[in-house]
Amino acid sequence: MSGLLRLDAADVTLLVAVDPVSGPLLLHWGRRLPDDADLTDALPITARATAHHSLDDAPHDAAMLPTPGRGLFGHPALAGSRDGRDRTALLAGWRIESNGLRAFDEVAGLKVTLELELADSGVLATRSHLRNLGAGTFALDWLASSCLTLPAGCDELLVFSGRWGGEWPTGREALGSGTWLRENRRGRTSHDSFPALILGEPGFGPERGPVWGFHLGWSGNHRLIVEPTDDGRRRVQLGELLHPGEVRLGAGESLTTAWAYASFSEDGIDALTRVHHHHVRRHVLRWPGGAMTPRPVTLNTWEANYFEQDEPRLRRQAEAAARLGVERFVVDDGWFKGRNDDRAALGDWVADPVKFPHGLAPLARHVETLGMQFGLWVEPEMVNPDSDLFRAHPDWALHIEGRPPITARSQLVLDVACPEVADHLFAALHAVLDSAPIGYLKWDMNRDLVVTGETPSHREQTLAFWVLVDRLREAHPAVEIEACASGGRRADWGVLTRTHRIWTSDVTDALERQRIQRGFSLFFPPEVMGAHASTSPNHQTGRRHTVAFRCITALFGHFGLELDPLALSDEDAADIGSWIGVHRRLRPLLHGGRPFRHPPHDGRHVHGVISDDRRHAVIAVVQESAAACRQPAPLLINDLDPTLIYRLSMPGAQRPAFHRPAAVHEAMLRGELRAGGAVLSAIGLTLPELAPETALLIELTAE
Ligand code: GLA
């Protein structure tokens, strides 16, 4: 007997026909169907004629767990073997159960469950569960977390690439007749292959859909597959990449994959982004105390001090930071015993006795008395060969017997999946957190996994990292954690279920950040996007930017500073202080409103956030490169309420970065410009000529 599984939420419907023999078929994943739609014929009308010279009973192109046993010639959703046998899985006896769908392969001795959860955000979460019911070991090669077939015509992909300091560049790729494949084997989420895709018909855009989004919530190796089906649709699979022999399930053993997420919007990428933000806010983030508190303005000391941590100077820096309005003071790398450069001491998590003769507590308490929270950098999964930990336990570093260790940034990776090592790391971190009032950890991870030996596998290492974070959070529920990995190399919804912020990139150059943050924002809301204004010239690129451009760029994320507050001129300190004030005033809007973007025009990128009641908005007009037109086109602001009158102002220290301002700009600078929502959306606001690499921030408040 076939059954229909229908799930509805927000603007979407998932419709799956479950036939006991042919398995679950995805009948519909997209636009919401009317609640009273008669779906009785949904399955019969999808029955296909047998193609010429094809199998009599070939698997359907929309099968949600296609396996080779029925004659699948594409990429199966489940692949593995038992001593060279049982490769041709054929799942049968499909049934709808409370958490999804399950089936058996009696011959191969396998049981599969496909979990499906459609959240109120409209995001579909799926994961698979495999149990070995047979005798002997089943070696698993691949088990998709999700396998969804999209309608014909979805022939364009938005994909992510990247590198250190250049995370989240997006590109468009046309799908052809072959399989599109992206794999990550770096043992962490990676800079170069953020596990996400957006698909649609060629030409989809910020406001042009329909579009389908996909993301794998996994901090390890992954594989993304898009292949054409026989009928010209696109089957999308996401899952963990498993090395040969990495998962060997003994009799009775099972494996549950990472969650994959799928989203849909009729109206283009902007609306899809809002679905993602909504989902992360409601279902991914787990804040101490159950709800997000205002994101504290942060000063992180990396670019201020690098490894030169010095307690008296840190105290003075903290005092200067507090005067600027900073709320969280984070001491980066270099604080622990013997850590004077990146070649030694990782693993020895006690305060350096020379730099901090009385431990961290006096500095942390000083920071607290200044009204700020104290935070600390750690990199728990790593060890330098030149460290007490390595000298005592060389075998704790991942290695293969008889082969030379492979270092990166002079460091090796600890075998976190080994209970003894995990216990040691937990105790060390626990002791650090107990030694001083520390409210925040910047948890770094600065190298790819090359060697894991036979055990643990990359997968076990990834899971062990998650478990270690979970364990620490349980012991210290009030402590917030930032996920950092040489910048944004470990950013995914899996790590974000146990952390509170992502260090988006080690590049703090405002121009680079504009692009980086655009890509990041497609899947993450601004409150988790670590965004710091740094010094000029910028340390990574040497570019010079105004304080306003640097601060307007950082303002839309979790705002902070990456500079030495003692080195600021009086004028820059006053300007930065004013921007911190703006951020603190606007953060409920910035971190809770609806983000929007305009398509780029003439070197200009416009993005903003508007409150749900449309009474308050803030817009950044960013001139990234020199304009070609002699005059900027008027700024049309569509999302406003046409019945309201808005006051327009330019908050913060915005000395005009433009020549010959018009009267409207003078009025806006004074906060005295008024215009109706209808006028602003139909006729638009005249913009001044902006120099390249400058920005304007405009605030609109309904009267
Ligand atoms: C990584 C991080 C930086 C900084 C350094 C410290 O590169 O991404 O922000 O913390 O490590 O060594």
Side-chain angles (χ1 to χ4, degrees), residues 164 300 302 307 332-333 339 377 379 409 442 444 446 484-487 503 506 562:
W164 175 85
N300 185 70
W302 178 237
F307 294 99
D332 206 283
D333 200 350
R339 182 69 165 176
W377 179 94
E379 196 180 358
R409 210 191 187 207
K442 176 178 177 182
D444 212 335
N446 278 314
C484 173
S486 321
W503 181 229
D506 274 350
E562 194 74 33

Side-chain angles (χ1 to χ4, degrees), residues 157 176 242 440 529 554 559 596 695:
L157 273 178
L242 303 174
Y440 178 80
M529 179 171 77
F559 185 84
F596 61 86

Side-chain angles (χ1 to χ4, degrees), residues 327-564:
E327 299 162 304
R328 175 183 277 164
F329 186 81
V330 182
V331 173
D332 206 283
D333 200 350
W335 62 268
F336 46 99
K337 189 164 158 267
R339 182 69 165 176
N340 299 314
D341 53 40
D342 66 4
R343 291 190 294 277
L346 284 174
D348 299 342
W349 301 113
V350 288
D352 185 273
V354 179
K355 298 176 186 173
F356 301 95
H358 305 288
L360 292 170
L363 174 64
R365 280 200 288 269
H366 183 60
V367 167
E368 268 200 338
T369 55
L370 292 166
M372 297 183 293
Q373 187 185 59
F374 184 72
L376 198 64
W377 179 94
V378 288
E379 196 180 358
E381 300 141 81
M382 298 294 153
V383 66
N384 285 119
D386 183 2
S387 67
D388 292 347
L389 183 70
F390 187 81
R391 282 183 281 275
H393 299 284
D395 53 318
W396 282 7
L398 295 172
H399 64 286
I400 297 178
E401 278 317 321
R403 298 199 182 184
I406 298 173
T407 51
R409 210 191 187 207
S410 305
Q411 60 201 54
L412 296 170
V413 186
L414 289 168
D415 181 352
V416 185
C418 165
E420 201 187 353
V421 180
D423 286 350
H424 168 83
L425 290 176
F426 174 77
L429 293 167
H430 189 57
V432 169
L433 289 174
D434 273 354
S435 72
I438 299 169
Y440 178 80
L441 288 180
K442 176 178 177 182
W443 186 307
D444 212 335
M445 198 281 204
N446 278 314
R447 63 159 292 173
D448 295 321
L449 298 191
V450 180
V451 167
T452 51
E454 266 51 77
T455 54
S457 66
H458 281 195
R459 177 171 205 272
E460 286 167 328
Q461 180 80 2
T462 305
L463 289 171
F465 154 66
W466 279 7
V467 168
L468 184 60
V469 180
D470 290 346
R471 200 172 154 194
L472 202 72
R473 281 205 59 194
E474 211 174 303
H476 296 271
V479 172
E480 288 191 13
I481 299 178
E482 173 174 57
C484 173
S486 321
R489 207 178 284 195
R490 194 153 62 183
D492 57 81
W493 292 2
V495 82
L496 203 58
T497 56
R498 42 200 37 96
T499 54
H500 309 95
R501 163 177 142 126
I502 286 161
W503 181 229
T504 318
S505 174
D506 274 350
V507 160
T508 53
D509 174 296
L511 181 64
E512 298 295 322
R513 273 300 188 120
Q514 285 287 339
R515 187 202 46 69
I516 290 171
Q517 294 177 186
R518 267 201 292 281
F520 180 90
S521 301
L522 292 172
F523 281 83
F524 298 97
E527 60 269 31
V528 304
M529 179 171 77
H532 294 178
S534 59
T535 44
S536 178
N538 178 266
H539 287 197
Q540 297 85 35
T541 64
R543 287 200 190 101
R544 290 173 190 275
H545 291 133
T546 61
V547 169
F549 186 50
R550 286 177 270 152
C551 287
I552 291 172
T553 301
L555 194 88
F556 285 79
H558 179 171
F559 185 84
L561 303 177
E562 194 74 33
L563 48 72
D564 182 356

